[in-house]
């Protein structure tokens, strides 16, 4: 509340000032007044020593609303999209993503790949350091990768490594020791990885936060090491200077970053604010420079009127989770009834209004393999965008609940998304069942869904490396994000064949086979493939957002 009150007060003050002088409400000249935390940093002090004319001409601080407070900034434990923007600007892996989402050197200067595509040898840059001045070494990668595949860590994305690295799964199962796993720090500057099978997207994986390096002496200081500037030791272009729980995290330029000379911004403050109306007011007044929080109701006006509104491509699928281990959702006919009773088209066009596409499969658009978009080839599985009420009612009757008779009250666990109310109304009207929404704060909602403490919930996934297995591998036994608790032997067999197949066309065919099995059993009800509405000060250049949702400000700079 303190942050919200302060932000609204800032907006009110700006409005009075601007009305008196007739200024532009999107002017960035007053934005420095909203970042007092930046005044406590050495970098800001250095900037203040520059000439007054230069500091007035070029803005060096960025204030950006990112929505929910990240559930974790620990690379091994972060298992949702909330930390993406913070972590993308404070850490780097062996590779990073360019503006076209292609992997390029980051901590690694270059690498060699064996002829059989199984062995990757990464050679680290000479001038890479942690934000406390200590060198980044290959052992820092070794430590974190080992931590990710250790069962006690309970890494949400650990299955990334388990599926691809030689003997990683065997280590996780307790069958071999760590020396048998296919990664090693050959020396301080050489990190060698041996894969279980050729993986065409492996370099993309090394850009994901799960495989960022970490220092053991930092992690052992406590589970909340990432909430204090003194222990949040990172290796990216920015480092932490302040963390206010429930309010904001402030970053400053990292002087030890190898590309520090090319980093223009001195400070970045990421605000945790989920109220879209207040976020928009803050942006339009100039109190903040951007926001990832945009209301669907505002989008038609923003597209027409606001300079600085962007609607970007986004590899994300939003769906409804069914807990397949709990009756009556263990019945495929119940799941299909609920899926077919949803009018996805009206949700996209009347509620969301940001170019979202009704979903009818697991893998979203944007995954191009073997020269073709995986979703376009896979088709829609016969699920009409507007739903099919007659089929939905037939499925429910087949499950033993004709006209909804005897169906237990359905409770949807959610964290306040407006389209869930529409889903509730569709189920009640089309299936004659009673539906209740159980709204939770995001952190609580996520914890309970992960623990299986639900029957039906809002769900979804944002891509991590741009390949169909990004989604398909969520429903393996090793996955930490199989929230539907669904298991199917034939599905796992198809994925195993895809993983071991070296011929790309055959590999793609196995992945389609797996998705066919998934959609026949329907452990989720697809809703829509997303886009990314975002507000950014039009004077800010050099930033980019990956289709995977990562916002990069390394090369960002304000024009005059």
């Amino acid at each position: 509340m303190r942050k919200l009150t302060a932000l609204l007060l800032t907006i009110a003050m700006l409005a009075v000032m601007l009305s008196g002088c007739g200024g532009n409400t999107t002017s960035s000249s007053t934005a420095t007044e909203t970042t007092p935390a930046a005044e406590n940093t050495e970098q800001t002090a250095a900037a203040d020593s520059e000439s007054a004319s230069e500091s007035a001409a070029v803005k060096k601080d960025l204030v950006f609303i990112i929505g929910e407070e990240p559930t974790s900034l620990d690379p091994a434990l972060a298992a949702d999209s909330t930390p993406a923007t913070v972590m993308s600007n404070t850490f780097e892996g062996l590779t990073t993503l360019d503006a076209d989402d292609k992997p390029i050197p980051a901590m690694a200067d270059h690498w060699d790949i064996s002829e059989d595509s199984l062995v990757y040898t990464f050679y680290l840059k000479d001038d890479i350091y942690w934000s406390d001045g200590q060198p980044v070494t290959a052992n820092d990668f070794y430590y974190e990768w080992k931590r990710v595949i250790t069962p006690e860590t309970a890494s949400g994305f650990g299955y990334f490594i388990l599926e691809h690295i030689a003997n990683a799964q065997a280590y996780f199962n307790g069958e071999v020791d760590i020396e048998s796993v296919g990664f090693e720090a050959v020396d301080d500057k050489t990190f060698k990885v041996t894969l279980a099978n050729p993986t065409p997207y492996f370099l993309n994986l090394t850009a994901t936060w799960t495989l960022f390096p970490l220092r053991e002496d930092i992690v052992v200081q406590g589970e909340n090491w990432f909430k204090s500037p003194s222990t949040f030791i990172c290796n990216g272009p920015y480092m932490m200077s302040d963390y206010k729980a429930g309010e904001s995290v402030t970053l400053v330029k990292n002087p030890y970053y190898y590309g520090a000379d090319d980093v223009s911004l001195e400070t970045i403050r990421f605000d945790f604010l989920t109220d879209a109306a207040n976020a928009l007011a803050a942006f339009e007044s100039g109190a903040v420079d951007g926001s990832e929080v945009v209301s669907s109701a505002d989008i038609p006006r923003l597209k027409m009127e606001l300079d600085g509104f962007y609607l970007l491509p986004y590899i994300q699928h939003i769906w409804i989770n069914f807990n397949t281990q709990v009756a009556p959702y263990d019945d495929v006919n119940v799941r299909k009834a609920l899926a077919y009773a949803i009018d996805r088209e009206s949700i996209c066009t009347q509620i969301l209004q940001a170019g979202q596409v009704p979903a009818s499969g697991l893998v979203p658009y944007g995954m191009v393999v073997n020269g073709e978009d995986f979703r376009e080839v896979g088709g829609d599985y016969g699920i009409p965008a507007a739903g099919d009420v007659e089929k939905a009612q037939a499925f429910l009757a087949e499950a033993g609940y004709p006209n909804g008779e005897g169906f237990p009250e359905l409770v949807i666990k959610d964290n306040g998304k407006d389209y869930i109310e529409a889903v509730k109304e569709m189920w009640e009207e089309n299936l004659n069942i009673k539906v209740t929404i159980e709204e939770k704060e995001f952190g609580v909602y996520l914890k309970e869904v992960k623990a299986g403490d639900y029957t039906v919930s809002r769900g979804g996934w944002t891509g991590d490396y741009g390949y169909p297995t990004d989604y398909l591998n969520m429903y393996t036994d090793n996955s930490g994000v199989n929230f539907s608790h669904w298991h199917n032997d034939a599905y796992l067999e198809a994925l195993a064949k895809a993983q071991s197949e070296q011929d790309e066309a055959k590999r793609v065919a196995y992945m389609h086979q797996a998705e066919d099995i998934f959609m026949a059993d329907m452990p989720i009800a697809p809703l829509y493939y997303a886009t990314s509405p975002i507000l950014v000060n039009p004077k800010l250049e050099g930033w980019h957002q990956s289709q995977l949702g990562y916002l990069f400000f390394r090369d960002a700079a304000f024009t005059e």
Side-chain angles (χ1 to χ4, degrees), residues 8 21 33 48 53 62 108 128 135 156 175 264 272-274 290 301 326 343 364 414 444 469 497 500 536:
L8 292 175
C21 64
E33 298 175 14
D48 289 342
S53 60
L62 174 73
I128 51 176
E175 299 166 359
S264 174
F272 312 144
L273 179 65
T274 59
R301 179 182 73 83
V326 178
D343 182 350
D414 179 42
V444 176
T469 52
K497 289 179 178 178
S500 61
V536 181

Side-chain angles (χ1 to χ4, degrees), residues 4 9 70 77 127 138 197 215 243-244 299-300 335 338 347 352 358 368 386 394 445 466 516:
L4 181 56
L9 180 60
L77 301 181
D127 55 342
N197 297 285
R215 287 224 314 264
Y243 191 107
K244 291 184 172 64
I299 288 176
R335 300 195 295 267
L338 294 167
I347 289 175
L352 301 173
V368 177
Y445 145 83
D516 292 346

Side-chain angles (χ1 to χ4, degrees), residues 28-47:
S28 61
S29 61
T30 59
T32 52
E33 298 175 14
T34 70
T35 55
E39 296 175 3
N40 297 322
T41 70
E42 293 181 4
Q43 287 77 8
T44 301

Side-chain angles (χ1 to χ4, degrees), residues 272-283:
F272 312 144
L273 179 65
T274 59
D275 187 289
N278 286 324
L280 178 59
F283 179 77

Side-chain angles (χ1 to χ4, degrees), residues 261-431:
D261 290 345
D262 299 321
V263 177
S264 174
L265 297 176
E266 295 290 347
T267 68
I268 302 177
R269 193 185 78 207
F270 291 125
D271 287 349
F272 312 144
L273 179 65
T274 59
D275 187 289
N278 286 324
L280 178 59
F283 179 77
E284 291 190 310
S285 71
V288 302
D289 300 297
S291 175
E292 293 184 275
V293 180
V294 180
S295 170
S296 300
D298 292 323
I299 288 176
R301 179 182 73 83
L302 297 179
K303 287 194 291 188
M304 295 290 293
E305 301 176 5
L306 187 64
D307 188 17
F309 173 71
Y310 301 87
L311 199 54
L312 303 176
Y314 199 22
I315 298 178
Q316 183 187 69
H317 178 188
I318 300 299
W319 59 66
I320 299 292
N321 289 314
F322 299 124
N323 189 335
T324 61
Q325 300 302 307
V326 178
Y329 310 101
D330 56 350
D331 187 331
V332 64
N333 286 307
V334 169
R335 300 195 295 267
K336 287 185 175 181
L338 294 167
Y340 275 77
I342 300 172
D343 182 350
R344 297 158 180 78
E345 187 169 34
S346 67
I347 289 175
C348 291
T349 59
Q350 298 178 29
I351 298 176
L352 301 173
Q353 305 183 76
Q356 293 88 347
V357 176
S360 56
L362 174 60
V363 179
Y365 291 98
M367 306 277 196
V368 177
V369 287
N370 205 31
E372 298 178 309
D373 188 287
F374 188 86
R375 176 74 281 121
E376 291 181 2
V377 175
D380 62 9
Y381 290 100
I383 304 175
D388 189 325
V389 176
E390 187 175 331
K391 272 191 177 181
Q393 293 172 343
F395 282 128
L396 198 61
E398 181 68 20
Y401 306 100
N403 196 33
E405 295 174 10
F407 195 84
E409 180 179 358
L410 187 157
V411 179
I412 312 175
K413 188 157 291 188
D414 179 42
N415 68 310
K417 301 300 182 182
D418 48 5
Y419 55 82
I420 292 298
E421 182 65 36
V423 172
K424 169 186 181 296
E425 294 175 1
M426 291 170 188
W427 281 345
E428 289 183 329
E429 179 178 344
N430 296 335
L431 298 176

Side-chain angles (χ1 to χ4, degrees), residues 217-234:
D217 64 309
I218 297 302
V219 176
V220 297
Q221 296 190 40
E223 62 180 10
N224 289 323
W225 61 267
F226 55 84
K227 290 188 175 182
S228 171
S230 64
T231 50
F232 189 83
I233 305 302
C234 53

